[in-house]
Amino acid sequence: MKILVINSGSSSLKYTLFNMADESVIFAGTFDRIGLEGPTHAYRSQDGNRSAHTSQIRNHGQALDELLHTLTGGPLESLGDLSAVAHRVGHGGKYRNAVRITPDVLSEIRRMTPMIPLHHPAMIMEIEECRVRMPDAVHVAVFDTWFHRTIPDKAAIYGLPYKYFKERGYRRTGFHGNSHAYISAKAAEFLGRPLEELKVITCHLGNGASVCAIERGRSIDTSLGMTALEGLIMGTRAGDLDPGLMPVIMKEDSLTPDDVIGMLYRDSGLKGISGVSSDMREVEAAAEQGNHRAHLALDAFCYKVKRYVGAMLMVLGGCDVLVFAGGIGRNSPTVRQKVLEGSEGLGFSLNEHANHSRRAYADNPVVDISGDASKVKVLVIRTFEELMMARQCMEVIEGKSGREHA
Ligand code: AMP
């Protein structure tokens, strides 16, 4: 059973080919800078061969052509070897569990584009191109929202007139489900305890970021909402706002709804505050050199994570394990330290040496950075969203999933 997992961004396309017999990665790669100057394609095969080169591709369709050429010239004899293709989709609307992609599913994904305006167009384009190039493969959509289908109404509802909840279905659905599910399960496995016995807070901190409260293996609250904007300050996204501020700014600056979308999704967050970059490495470097705005962006980012961890602590009524993951959570000792400073009274403490020196890698994905006095285990985990996607895709193929709606 070979499954190809595809994760499309607006200017990137990541792919992983799995052998589901043992869940091993046969081949994985990334196209970057699609549609921009100097696109690249980097990949590695199971036997350790790596390649990184500048590519001629100009759009996602051409990236797929190169991808399929690369796969059939190496790990696959033909595309007929593929059992299925799993596509990452931000929001499935009424669909939560992974499903086979049909015209109805595609139109529901399209309907949800206003909720995920930056990501969905690239995801939809990629699915359409794949269906043309691989007409005989089973195509499965795996939604970022699936893990949060257990969030109760009291946490999901917005304080708006009831019709928006009841008639339009506007509720907090959350994202990064594959990551929160994977890292919570991995934490339980590392601790040698059943996940069902644990209260877990997971912090997926990457370009997009969210915190999740997990009880008995089920998400009961998360910081992201119905769109990809709520909650934490992100790379270019604003996170929580006072909703009353938006009409004020719109009037003052004569902004259209599309201008506001651009501002909140592309020009805010770390980038908007720091004026330096959306990339945490560059923000940290500028802060170290004394850049005031970069310092403020770093502090504000960490403060927001701290605030949500505190909220989830109350939601869960305590916490056994706190997990950091995502590009920032996994790689930034500074962020982890700032999030946890002053929380000793709540049972959190860090082993400073471990926090600075130990790293989570593919062959050592879980690192314990808890201090001796810590009542809560603090772990850094390398997330593996693609594996969760491949597993869900398998369930659809085997008929164990895909019939259930939200
Ligand atoms: P992701 O979206 O999970 O790929 O994460 C991307 C984010 O991780 C970017 O903001 C990167 O700057 C950040 N990141 C990657 N490596 C580091 C690092 N060593 N220190 C701080 N942030 C990092």
Side-chain angles (χ1 to χ4, degrees):
M1 273 276 189
K2 288 177 182 151
I3 289 182
L4 178 64
V5 172
I6 300 189
N7 181 357
S8 259
S10 51
S11 62
S12 68
L13 190 151
K14 296 181 187 167
Y15 61 93
T16 311
L17 179 65
F18 285 94
N19 176 357
M20 293 311 285
D22 59 359
E23 296 189 337
S24 60
V25 174
I26 303 171
F27 205 87
T30 304
F31 290 91
D32 256 325
R33 306 189 56 77
I34 300 173
L36 304 172
E37 195 69 21
T40 57
H41 180 196
Y43 56 79
R44 67 189 150 74
S45 60
Q46 201 167 23
D47 51 18
N49 280 340
R50 286 169 188 271
S51 168
H53 59 270
T54 311
S55 172
Q56 300 304 317
I57 52 159
R58 280 190 293 276
N59 53 44
H60 282 72
Q62 291 179 357
L64 280 173
D65 287 337
E66 186 170 319
L67 158 58
L68 297 182
H69 182 74
T70 309
L71 291 184
T72 46
L76 294 178
E77 270 178 29
S78 76
L79 289 180
D81 285 357
L82 269 185
S83 302
V85 185
H87 304 266
R88 182 177 176 195
V89 177
H91 211 306
K94 68 180 180 184
Y95 298 102
R96 290 294 196 95
N97 289 343
V99 281
R100 266 174 208 251
I101 298 175
T102 62
D104 277 354
V105 170
L106 250 183
S107 82
E108 182 69 355
I109 295 171
R110 268 195 210 96
R111 192 177 71 84
M112 300 314 291
T113 298
M115 304 299 167
I116 321 286
L118 285 201
H119 300 77
H120 261 208
M123 289 167 171
I124 292 166
M125 185 171 41
E126 174 268 305
I127 290 173
E128 285 172 337
E129 298 280 357
C130 274
R131 291 177 90 209
V132 170
R133 283 166 178 76
M134 293 176 270
D136 299 327
V138 175
H139 293 273
V140 172
V142 183
F143 304 107
D144 253 34
T145 49
W146 72 270
F147 185 56
H148 306 296
R149 63 197 188 282
T150 44
I151 290 178
D153 286 354
K154 68 181 175 187
I157 194 166
Y158 289 108
L160 290 169
Y162 187 62
K163 70 171 183 186
Y164 292 105
F165 183 72
K166 180 74 181 157
E167 291 164 24
R168 305 216 191 145
Y170 291 176
R171 56 184 294 136
R172 305 182 54 256
T173 47
F175 297 90
H176 304 129
N178 293 301
S179 185
H180 291 298
Y182 177 81
I183 58 183
S184 54
K186 205 75 191 163
E189 183 188 310
F190 178 79
L191 298 175
R193 293 181 58 188
L195 181 56
E196 293 66 32
E197 283 178 9
L198 294 173
K199 294 179 175 186
V200 187
I201 300 176
T202 47
C203 305
H204 176 94
L205 309 178
N207 264 324
S210 61
V211 174
C212 183
I214 299 161
E215 187 176 53
R216 291 194 288 273
R218 295 154 71 95
S219 167
I220 59 167
D221 201 354
T222 189
S223 58
L224 271 164
M226 175 89 191
T227 77
L229 272 185
E230 198 181 339
L232 304 177
I233 287 171
M234 298 175 238
T236 60
R237 286 179 254 160
D240 288 338
L241 291 172
D242 178 342
L245 205 49
M246 289 327 297
V248 173
I249 293 177
M250 283 179 80
K251 280 184 194 154
E252 280 176 355
D253 293 352
S254 306
L255 301 182
T256 65
D258 282 346
D259 294 334
V260 171
I261 289 170
M263 178 175 84
L264 297 180
Y265 279 90
R266 291 196 187 92
D267 300 328
S268 297
L270 291 175
K271 180 181 168 196
I273 300 175
S274 72
V276 171
S277 173
S278 61
D279 188 304
M280 183 56 99
R281 283 166 292 203
E282 291 175 25
V283 173
E284 282 189 28
E288 262 171 43
Q289 284 162 15
N291 181 313
H292 166 71
R293 280 176 59 183
H295 208 280
L296 182 58
L298 173 63
D299 276 353
F301 177 92
C302 297
Y303 178 78
K304 239 351 175 1
V305 180
K306 180 194 279 283
R307 201 172 173 196
Y308 268 100
V309 170
M312 297 310 180
L313 200 59
M314 280 299 282
V315 164
L316 287 166
C319 172
D320 300 299
V321 50
L322 173 72
V323 182
F324 287 99
I328 299 171
R330 177 160 81 99
N331 295 307
S332 175
T334 305
V335 167
R336 297 190 296 255
Q337 193 256 324
K338 277 177 174 286
V339 169
L340 288 184
E341 68 194 359
S343 63
E344 294 78 9
L346 295 168
F348 297 90
S349 87
L350 275 183
N351 176 328
E352 285 198 16
H353 176 70
N355 184 38
H356 279 90
S357 63
R358 301 194 60 198
R359 294 207 51 205
Y361 290 109
D363 47 6
N364 181 35
V366 187
V367 167
D368 185 350
I369 57 167
S370 332
D372 290 340
S374 198
K375 294 198 181 91
V376 178
K377 273 284 173 207
V378 184
L379 305 178
V380 178
I381 300 185
R382 183 184 184 276
T383 195
F384 200 1
E385 291 164 287
E386 295 80 6
L387 177 60
M388 294 305 289
M389 289 177 61
R391 285 180 183 165
Q392 287 178 72
C393 184
M394 278 294 284
E395 291 200 356
V396 172
I397 298 173
E398 290 171 349
K400 294 183 199 150
S401 174
R403 288 183 295 271
E404 194 186 326
H405 293 182

